[in-house]
Amino acid sequence: MAAVPASRLRGLAPIGLVVLLGLVLTFALGERYHHRVLTLVFVWATMGLSWNIISGYAGQTSFGHQAFFGVGAYVTVLLIVGFRLTPWLGLMVGTVAAVVAAALIGFPTFRLAGIYFALATLAYPLILRIFMDFLGYQEVAIPMVRDRPALYMQFTDPRAYDLLALAALAGTLLLSHWIETSRLGYALRALKENEQAAEASGVDTFRAKMIALMLSAAPAAVIGAIYAHAILYVVTPDAVFGVLVIVQTLVVCLVGGVGTKWGPVLGAAIMVPMSETLDATIGDRLPGIQGVVYGAALVLVMLFAPEGIYWRLRALLPARRAAPAGAAAATEGPIAADLAGRAPVVRGATLMDVRGVSKAFLGLHALEEVSFTVRAGEILGVIGPNGAGKTTLFNVLNGFLSPDQGEVRYRDARITGLRPSAICRSGVGRTFQVVRSFPQMTVLENVMVGAFVHETTPHRARQRALAALASVGLEARADVVPSGLTTPDLRLMELARCLATAPDLILLDEPLAGLARDGVETVMALVRRVRDGGVTVVIIEHTMYAVVQLVDRLVVLDHGRRVAEGLPGEVVRDPAVIEAYLGKRWLRHVEGLRT
Amino acid sequence: MPLGDLVQYVVTGLLVGGVYALMSIGLALIFGVMKVVNFAQGDFMMLGMYLTYFLAVGYGVDPLLGALLTIPPFFVLGLLVHRTLLVRVTGGGNPQRLMDAQLILTLGLSLIITNATTMILTPMPRGIQTAYATQAFAVGPILMNQARSYAFLMALVLAGLVYVFLTRTDVGKALRAAADEPEAAGYQGIDVRAMHGLAFGVGIALVAAAGGLLATYHPIEPTVAVNFIVLMFVAVVLGGLGSIPGAFAGGLVIGLVQSLTLLVLPFQLQNAGVFIAFLLVLYLRPQGLFGQRLRAV
């Protein structure tokens, strides 16, 4: 425990400051109306933070987050009306109901991506709203309980509501802080940046999104219940499920900045007093003024500062000093494999067995009954002309695609049908033909995403990631973002991310593509060092001279079929291979070699 | 239930659906060409209703003609909105972030239009009095409200004209090229940005005209947009995002679902049927009931 919380504790001080400032305002303000505004600032900051968990950290833009706000409000209030249940308990029931609703909503909805997800989220509060109308809950007044007001969250002192909302805000800030500094936070950022790369690096993206949605539903429900007591008194479908709820939420987040816990707080502190003041001064004469202000805020933010105030301000601060370059990279000697608890496999034994795999796209046979084995400790090359099905094969091996027929067995267990993240966690890593990085994360953080496969704390993941970076000779670049890397360094970073998952088989999809001669040498040396350390390698490559130097055995694909498998020296003389891939010139070259 | 009742519900549903279909193809055109989901579409419809209303009460223009007269000014308005606002959030960059920026920009625009209209014209609902709004054609036992029948026919004609424009004219073909392959279209000398403006202008003009037709039988108020924008989204998703014939069919389906829901569910749950159908389509067939993925026409 000792080493972990250092960075986490540092983040707690600003949260303490915000709460302290909230307390000062609570006790300094006099007028009832000012307390109302203060409560609203806390309410919308909390609601914004809650939206920020699923739409900011996880990047799943939701236009229906008020569903959870409304569930919290309605459940709590209906329990008072129906059973005289104290809202202190009712609020918990409402929270549980909202989390269950999140699970029910997330399960089908996360199968949708991008615009389809956003459109689907629109429907949930609309449906809830219609059902509340139908069930006769158009107006549910909170019954006054004069004898025990505190038990029923009914206070005459407005400061009590300030404190209540502030407590919810503090709790949500802590939750956000925990997410930002936890394995989940890294997983969410990674899947927001590049979902496939995250999945291939061992992040179960579906699970991470579900957890994020359920975590984000809880504070929304709590603050919905508090809002009902502090502001509404009479709960209506429009007041809790309506468009203005999500609009207020979006406004505070987008103005303040998305993807950070400070964005919604800043946004609420600026926008809520502004719109309340306008509403109070000219709202009587111009009833739509609040909507116009919010609308204008959204338009202006999108046009002039789409990243929000927080990120704008942060960009003005001087960049953090880059960490000092580490010790000279260990660029020689084998990179020791980390079995991570798996049983060792005898060198030369079958590690992966591909059996009769077929895959067709709209009638085009990308793979037809492809079978071959991968032996532990070897470098297996996969070659073939463009369109032969090499990348499709990798996508089947690591779980991005499920084959129409056949199966892939790894360590004598069927892995076909598993999620790519599960296949990665079982020890099969991969890289991509075009490097897939997480562009807003540093090189170190990119690699940490992979390291979290076997680590639970950021501290340990950082150690593991640094070790992986050191083994590829990239630790001096740990603190830059991927856009600052050269093409060969990007390849190294992706390889380090893959190695950080502690694989015992890695699938390299054209790792030499786009590299100059020295880059090719570096990567080839690295692949050998990985193999020498005990990790098995399957490599797709076009450059024949590199393949023949590098690999132990070859598999040749053509038009989705395996046309040859064997030692490089034999395969390159195979007439079928020459016909399909190497061409007549190669034949003459081989003849020349013979004589 | 007697068969006659069922036919009556189907006919009523289709008549309403025709106007939904017209407003939805505007949205589908904008999405198909620009890949922008326009949240403010319902608000332009609402403005079209008001223009038709003021033409009717101010100059005695029949709303069916008034609906047509909304087309030129709203086409120009669409061009202006595109030129001043939307060009700034279309183009390069991370597609997901761009999509979010567009959604949020148009949501903001929608809020401004709804609330500014409330401020200027008051929330009071208005209506256009026409002789045909309260009369019906009788075809055997089936009754067809005259206003809805006229609106349906005009929607059909306008949608047909759009289809001819897209498939038979050079500009229409250029528009489809810009939708399907913006990059290749650019190399062919098609000004993709101008095509975006054209699509936005036509899309806004269509939805305004649909609003004018709707105004012959539907009350006119500033908040009318909210109810219809969601129906348009549903129609467009049902039809396969971006497909024009799909959106037209989607609009008809929504009219039918709304009408037939009344047979099994109480009146208040009429739209719940629509939204549940929407979610089911999203889960089961996100490419839409009819459409291929992301095609313009």
Side-chain angles (χ1 to χ4, degrees), chain B:
Chain B
M1 180 187 47
L3 184 67
D5 277 8
L6 185 65
V7 175
Q8 177 71 60
Y9 276 98
V10 168
V11 167
T12 310
L14 283 178
L15 287 183
V16 178
V19 178
Y20 294 165
L22 182 63
M23 59 181 78
S24 305
I25 62 176
L27 189 67
L29 182 67
I30 292 171
F31 184 84
V33 176
M34 304 173 66
K35 308 289 174 280
V36 167
V37 173
N38 181 17
F39 258 115
Q41 194 79 353
D43 299 274
F44 290 109
M45 183 203 82
M46 178 269 290
L47 293 179
M49 292 175 91
Y50 271 105
L51 180 58
T52 308
Y53 169 81
F54 285 117
L55 286 173
V57 296
Y59 303 95
V61 178
D62 188 282
L64 290 172
L65 176 62
L68 290 181
L69 293 179
T70 60
I71 291 177
F74 276 88
F75 175 71
V76 174
L77 180 65
L79 287 181
L80 284 176
V81 171
H82 173 259
R83 182 58 64 86
T84 50
L85 296 175
L86 280 158
V87 280
R88 311 184 62 157
V89 289
T90 41
N94 178 328
Q96 176 70 46
R97 305 251 158 96
L98 221 51
M99 188 75 88
D100 290 346
Q102 293 153 357
L103 283 171
I104 287 156
L105 181 83
T106 56
L107 177 67
L109 196 58
S110 156
L111 281 169
I112 296 175
I113 298 176
T114 299
N115 289 289
T117 309
T118 310
M119 278 160 52
I120 297 164
L121 297 175
T122 76
M124 177 188 71
R126 301 160 203 244
I128 305 174
Q129 303 296 327
T130 57
Y132 44 83
T134 51
Q135 303 199 356
F137 297 115
V139 181
I142 308 297
L143 293 176
M144 290 163 44
N145 175 290
Q146 289 191 1
R148 292 181 188 206
S149 304
Y150 290 136
F152 175 82
L153 285 177
M154 286 191 56
L156 215 58
V157 169
L158 283 173
L161 287 175
V162 172
Y163 193 76
V164 170
F165 164 69
L166 286 174
T167 52
R168 299 289 154 79
T169 66
D170 286 347
V171 180
K173 286 175 186 165
L175 202 60
R176 285 161 57 205
D180 288 350
E181 291 290 342
E183 204 170 321
Y187 294 142
Q188 297 291 319
I190 294 171
D191 182 346
V192 174
R193 210 177 96 165
M195 289 298 128
H196 284 184
L198 179 64
F200 202 77
V202 172
I204 297 304
L206 287 176
V207 82
L213 296 177
L214 189 69
T216 56
Y217 59 86
H218 195 284
I220 304 154
E221 51 188 332
T223 52
V224 72
V226 186
N227 301 323
F228 284 91
I229 185 64
V230 181
L231 293 184
M232 285 185 240
F233 280 150
V234 179
V236 168
V237 169
L238 282 179
L241 264 180
S243 154
I244 306 281
F248 189 83
L252 292 180
V253 168
I254 286 174
L256 275 179
V257 171
Q258 268 190 342
S259 178
L260 295 177
T261 304
L262 292 178
L263 288 174
V264 284
L265 290 177
F267 175 72
Q268 301 98 307
L269 294 184
Q270 193 184 27
N271 277 337
V274 175
F275 298 144
I276 289 167
F278 173 59
L279 286 178
L280 284 178
V281 169
L282 277 176
Y283 299 153
L284 303 176
R285 235 187 115 73
Q287 70 272 41
L289 286 180
F290 320 99
Q292 304 141 314
R293 248 158 212 255
L294 303 184
R295 293 270 302 180
V297 178

Side-chain angles (χ1 to χ4, degrees), chain A residues 80-155:
Chain A
I80 305 172
V81 174
F83 305 97
R84 284 289 147 137
L85 183 71
T86 159
W88 300 101
L89 286 177
L91 184 147
M92 288 177 210
V93 180
T95 306
V96 171
V99 172
V100 170
L104 293 176
I105 286 175
F107 196 73
T109 316
F110 280 133
R111 290 178 33 208
L112 307 170
I115 190 70
Y116 292 100
F117 177 82
L119 287 177
T121 58
L122 275 173
Y124 300 109
L126 286 168
I127 291 173
L128 283 168
R129 205 175 145 166
I130 291 170
F131 273 94
M132 288 302 157
D133 273 336
F134 172 67
L135 295 172
Y137 300 139
Q138 289 102 331
E139 285 191 352
V140 184
I142 299 175
M144 294 288 278
V145 183
R146 296 194 190 285
D147 47 338
R148 280 178 299 177
L151 186 64
Y152 284 90
M153 227 182 250
Q154 294 172 1
F155 306 105

Side-chain angles (χ1 to χ4, degrees), chain A residues 73-306:
Chain A
Y74 259 104
V75 168
T76 309
V77 172
L78 287 175
L79 284 173
I80 305 172
V81 174
F83 305 97
R84 284 289 147 137
L85 183 71
T86 159
W88 300 101
L89 286 177
L91 184 147
M92 288 177 210
V93 180
T95 306
V96 171
V99 172
V100 170
L104 293 176
I105 286 175
F107 196 73
T109 316
F110 280 133
R111 290 178 33 208
L112 307 170
I115 190 70
Y116 292 100
F117 177 82
L119 287 177
T121 58
L122 275 173
Y124 300 109
L126 286 168
I127 291 173
L128 283 168
R129 205 175 145 166
I130 291 170
F131 273 94
M132 288 302 157
D133 273 336
F134 172 67
L135 295 172
Y137 300 139
Q138 289 102 331
E139 285 191 352
V140 184
I142 299 175
M144 294 288 278
V145 183
R146 296 194 190 285
D147 47 338
R148 280 178 299 177
L151 186 64
Y152 284 90
M153 227 182 250
Q154 294 172 1
F155 306 105
T156 44
D157 187 342
R159 287 177 298 187
Y161 290 118
D162 293 349
L163 291 176
L164 205 54
L166 181 60
L169 174 60
T172 314
L173 273 172
L174 288 174
L175 175 67
S176 302
H177 179 63
W178 174 79
I179 292 173
E180 283 182 9
T181 55
S182 70
R183 172 154 83 165
L184 177 65
Y186 283 85
L188 295 178
R189 281 168 69 197
L191 77 89
K192 174 185 186 176
E193 306 260 327
N194 191 325
E195 193 158 336
Q196 285 209 319
E199 189 69 43
S201 304
V203 176
D204 186 336
T205 53
F206 181 77
R207 185 165 167 272
K209 286 191 255 182
M210 283 295 280
I211 293 174
L213 186 65
M214 287 159 76
L215 284 179
S216 75
V222 170
I223 205 65
I226 292 174
Y227 182 70
H229 284 83
I231 306 289
L232 289 180
Y233 313 121
V234 178
V235 179
T236 66
D238 200 41
V240 294
F241 291 121
V243 180
L244 265 179
V245 179
I246 189 66
V247 164
Q248 298 239 25
T249 311
L250 288 171
V251 164
V252 299
C253 290
L254 295 166
V255 169
V258 170
T260 158
K261 59 181 173 292
W262 301 120
V265 177
L266 265 175
I270 295 167
M271 290 310 294
V272 174
M274 189 164 107
S275 85
E276 287 299 317
T277 311
L278 274 175
D279 200 36
T281 47
I282 53 174
D284 290 343
R285 275 171 293 144
L286 297 171
I289 189 70
Q290 225 172 356
V292 173
V293 170
Y294 281 137
L298 289 178
V299 170
L300 292 174
V301 164
M302 280 304 119
L303 291 183
F304 298 108

